[in-house]
Amino acid sequence: MTGITALAIHLPRLRLQRAAMAAAMGWLCPRGDTRGARTLAYWDEDPITMAVAAARACLAQAERNGVPEARTAVRALTFATTTPVFAEPQQAALVHAALRLPEATRAQDVGGTMRCGLLALHAALESSEPALLTAADMPLNTPGGTAEMRYSDGGVSALVGGGPDLLTYRGGASLSAPFIERYRAPDRSLPTDWEERWVREEGFLDLVPRAIAEALGKAQLSAESIDHFVLPCVIPGAAKAVAQAAGLSRAKLAQPLDLECGDTGAAHALVMLARAMEDMRPGERVLVAQFGQGATALVLEATDAITGFPAAASAALADGVAEANYLKLPIFRGLMPWERGLRGRFPVNEALTTAYRNSEALLGFVGGRSPETGQVQFPPSRLAVSEAGFFAETQQPWPLADLGGTVATATADRLAFSRSPPNCYGLVDIPGGARLMIDFTDPDAERLSPGDAVRFVFRIKDLDERTGFRRYFWKAVAAPASPAAA
């Protein structure tokens, strides 16, 4: 049977402290538990960019594990989210382009329930073709409410098939039910959650154990044979109660990561799994379940390859920047009007014809390279550059996203418009001779200086708040100190 070949997560670096959230809104909505922090996506991050970041890490992990053709072998791409950026167009098409996947790859969006990520994984595991799953969420919740503290932002990606497995699929089950615990109309930005006790007693404790029992039956395993149990749930104590109801007496409950990052919605079952895999040994079995208009349960078994699984999830959890300014949440999400100044009052008009014709360069970040001189340039052109001048020469496509670069000049501009001042940018030298002006991003962007190593990330370039359209391009962030932190 097939299984999971690679699994990687992406967590935004900002960690909004719950104590700061309570201090800002506590006068209106007093809250009890204010421990820990939740992730907060930077202004130029969204579910699409987080899915791309997780998928890039996932494909790189597969290549390090001896699957050199992981990218070209993918035949199906699924993007799962409950917080889509667009109703139209298809978001998976943008993820597909940014990852430079084969044109023949079938791409699709799924959503509607926080279980959509695990449902997509279930479908991929039941299929026989190499598939890449990406899931990312940025749940919006009513300001000052408990859900705003509990839910957070993040992404995950899993590669199924096409190489040696980390986890072999033993069997799974998905049950559907019209149990609505959270709802939101298409024209509403904020959801409504139903009463916790009802969701816990009649939802989790009824549907999840039944899905677990069916999955164990298909795997021909007993509940006592499960070593680890993964179940995301923001209701305190619910996961432990489900484990007891399902007879998982030996299983170790996976860390909910509520204090470290919060619940990342459609991504969280696999975010928790990635962290749990760091502690697994060959032969151990894990049961991953999730609730939402039914329940899904998957049984997986660790192979010998699990010993080489990187501690990247732990590194991502630790690589946070504490944020005590609650107002960044509503400002970054567009929930609060604010004075932008004259420089912020400009329209963003995207020429869709030009964007399509140059999509390989703009979304895939593909430049050109001269086969004769080795000179790399961006944007790609039919005119090659050399010390002797410009001349017509055939260039080969040259992907730049994974090369990284070195800062040549750096500017932190407090006069230019930015949703998180200052506006940081500079010239970056790329291996092969290319030099380009590029934006710097992330909370510590203004610390970048000449000589610093950077890596490239796929982010929002511009937002048109009249139409809801957004442009994407690549930006530079500080390169991690170690590969595990990438």
Side-chain angles (χ1 to χ4, degrees), residues 409-413 416 423-427 437-440:
T409 66
T411 299
D413 190 345
N423 187 16
C424 299
Y425 52 87
L427 290 172
M437 180 72 73
I438 196 167
D439 289 334
F440 302 159

Side-chain angles (χ1 to χ4, degrees), residues 25-105:
M25 296 293 291
W27 62 274
L28 179 64
C29 308
R31 294 299 170 201
D33 191 354
T34 59
R35 296 175 300 158
R38 51 151 292 177
T39 51
L40 173 62
Y42 206 51
W43 76 263
D44 59 353
E45 291 185 285
D46 67 11
I48 291 176
T49 68
M50 291 191 294
V52 170
R56 291 180 66 202
C58 181
L59 292 170
Q61 181 189 122
E63 292 172 359
R64 289 194 299 269
N65 291 343
V67 191
E69 305 300 324
R71 189 186 304 268
T72 57
V74 173
R75 291 295 172 265
L77 169 69
T78 301
F79 173 64
T81 186
T82 65
T83 53
V85 176
F86 298 111
E88 297 177 71
Q90 183 192 57
Q91 288 139 118
L94 299 174
V95 176
H96 170 275
L99 297 176
R100 308 188 311 277
L101 297 178
E103 187 179 44
T105 301

Side-chain angles (χ1 to χ4, degrees), residues 243-254:
Q244 293 173 343
L248 301 174
S249 57
R250 288 188 57 255
K252 177 183 178 182
L253 281 179

Side-chain angles (χ1 to χ4, degrees), residues 121-181:
L121 178 60
H122 188 192
L125 289 169
E126 295 281 351
S127 176
S128 59
E129 60 183 357
L132 184 66
L133 159 71
T134 60
D137 251 343
M138 289 174 55
L140 276 175
N141 294 282
T142 306
T146 302
E148 186 185 48
M149 286 193 173
R150 290 176 173 175
Y151 289 107
S152 62
D153 311 327
V156 70
S157 182
L159 180 64
V160 174
D165 295 334
L166 294 166
L167 298 173
T168 299
Y169 177 56
R170 295 294 303 270
S174 289
L175 309 180
S176 297
F179 190 104
I180 301 175
E181 78 285 359

Side-chain angles (χ1 to χ4, degrees), residues 100 360-362 364-370 375-381 395-401 403 430 434:
R100 308 188 311 277
E360 187 176 43
L362 296 176
F365 203 22
V366 176
R369 178 181 180 275
S370 166
Q375 176 71 34
V376 175
Q377 62 188 70
F378 186 89
S381 170
Q395 294 188 43
Q396 60 186 147
W398 201 252
L400 305 179
L403 294 183
I430 298 175

